[in-house]
Amino acid sequence: MLIDYHTHILPELDDGAQDVETSLKMLEMLKAQGVEKVIATPHFYAHNEKSAEAFIEKRQAAYDKIKSKSPLPVLLGAEVAVERNISEVKDIEKLAIQGTRLILLELPYNKYKSWMGEEIYNISAEYGLKVILAHIHRYYDFYSKDEIENVLSMDVIFQLNNEAFETFRERRFVKSVMKQNYPFIFGSDCHNLSYRKPNWDVLKSKCKEDDIKCSNDILDKYIK
């Protein structure tokens, strides 16, 4: 089963699908590319939300708009921005991927600080969750080599965007992550039908089937 672990397909919720029509077209495109299960991971920024519970209600309302028409099964999750004290946000554990102990976190796009690692550890230890770090390859230009190594030493799963395989520099980095046997998963991180569209054709042309299978198998390992 081909699983897309990172998508912004829910309509009118974040900077992803702008309406129901776009959402359904994105899902059809994912299906045509061989995807069999989609995880919806809308952005969660604690400083912009009233509460995790309010976000969950908005997320459910967005999903309800496409639920009956979706050509693919969709699990609900979130892409949670790592902010100071994010681990203390009430109900933060409820943003884990539906039916699993997996939670997708996004690091800030600036210099790495020790408090970021502390928040990641706290979420994992406090709630018994397995942290996934989103698109780790994107931080190559923000973090030093030592900082990247620090992140890679964390007990987490690394999510790799499919588009990383399109450029030499990012492809070299993600290939090194895979070769060093770090746990990894793939995701399209699709937002729309144009410049950030579903792109599993890219991954399947650049990646071995065994690696894709390793990604797919992760979900079952962390089912509740």
Side-chain angles (χ1 to χ4, degrees):
M1 175 175 285
L2 185 56
I3 302 170
D4 192 336
Y5 284 90
H6 187 166
T7 71
H8 296 268
I9 54 93
L10 296 182
E12 305 167 7
L13 188 58
D14 59 2
D15 60 343
Q18 62 182 359
D19 51 36
V20 169
E21 181 181 10
T22 301
S23 178
L24 293 175
K25 284 183 178 178
M26 290 169 69
L27 285 161
E28 289 287 0
M29 188 177 291
L30 287 166
K31 182 178 180 180
Q33 293 174 1
V35 173
E36 297 169 85
K37 182 175 288 185
V38 173
I39 298 172
T41 53
H43 290 288
F44 176 83
Y45 301 106
H47 66 277
N48 283 340
E49 299 291 340
K50 292 180 180 179
S51 65
E53 195 62 46
F55 172 84
I56 289 169
E57 291 177 6
K58 288 193 302 182
R59 184 186 65 183
Q60 186 63 45
Y63 175 55
D64 287 344
K65 294 177 182 178
I66 64 167
K67 184 177 180 180
S68 63
K69 299 179 181 178
S70 176
L72 291 171
V74 177
L75 297 181
L76 301 179
E79 182 179 7
V80 180
V82 175
E83 303 178 16
R84 287 188 182 274
N85 302 316
I86 187 67
S87 59
E88 299 176 16
V89 171
K90 186 177 184 296
D91 296 323
I92 194 68
E93 75 279 6
K94 294 181 180 179
L95 299 184
I97 296 170
Q98 184 179 359
T100 79
R101 296 186 292 108
L102 296 166
I103 188 167
L104 180 68
L105 304 184
E106 178 184 29
L107 287 164
Y109 288 102
N110 50 46
K111 189 173 177 60
Y112 182 80
K113 301 289 186 181
S114 60
W115 65 261
M116 300 176 191
E118 291 167 4
E119 292 295 338
I120 291 167
Y121 173 80
N122 290 342
I123 285 178
S124 176
E126 180 71 19
Y127 304 106
L129 297 175
K130 188 67 175 182
V131 169
I132 302 168
L133 286 185
H135 39 61
I136 185 63
H137 49 92
R138 287 191 179 173
Y139 301 99
Y140 208 76
D141 291 328
F142 296 90
Y143 298 171
S144 69
K145 183 177 179 181
D146 286 345
E147 288 167 344
I148 288 288
E149 289 300 322
N150 190 3
V151 172
L152 290 175
S153 70
M154 295 180 184
D155 183 19
V156 300
I157 297 168
F158 298 104
Q159 186 261 311
L160 312 174
N161 278 11
N162 297 344
E163 89 268 354
F165 290 85
E166 293 185 296
T167 63
F168 174 76
R169 187 182 185 208
E170 289 194 343
R171 182 169 65 248
R172 182 175 61 181
F173 175 70
V174 297
K175 286 284 190 180
S176 71
V177 169
M178 294 160 63
K179 286 180 180 178
Q180 293 179 67
N181 294 319
Y182 293 110
F184 62 87
I185 56 174
F186 298 120
S188 66
D189 196 5
C190 56
H191 280 63
N192 50 50
L193 293 167
S194 53
Y195 63 97
R196 299 189 72 179
K197 63 185 178 182
N199 56 1
W200 283 90
D201 49 341
V202 171
L203 184 77
K204 290 194 290 185
S205 68
K206 302 287 186 180
C207 205
K208 296 178 181 178
E209 288 186 11
D210 285 348
D211 291 326
I212 296 175
K213 184 179 184 303
C214 284
S215 170
N216 295 336
D217 288 346
I218 290 288
L219 190 69
D220 285 342
K221 294 179 181 178
Y222 293 95
I223 295 293
K224 284 183 179 179

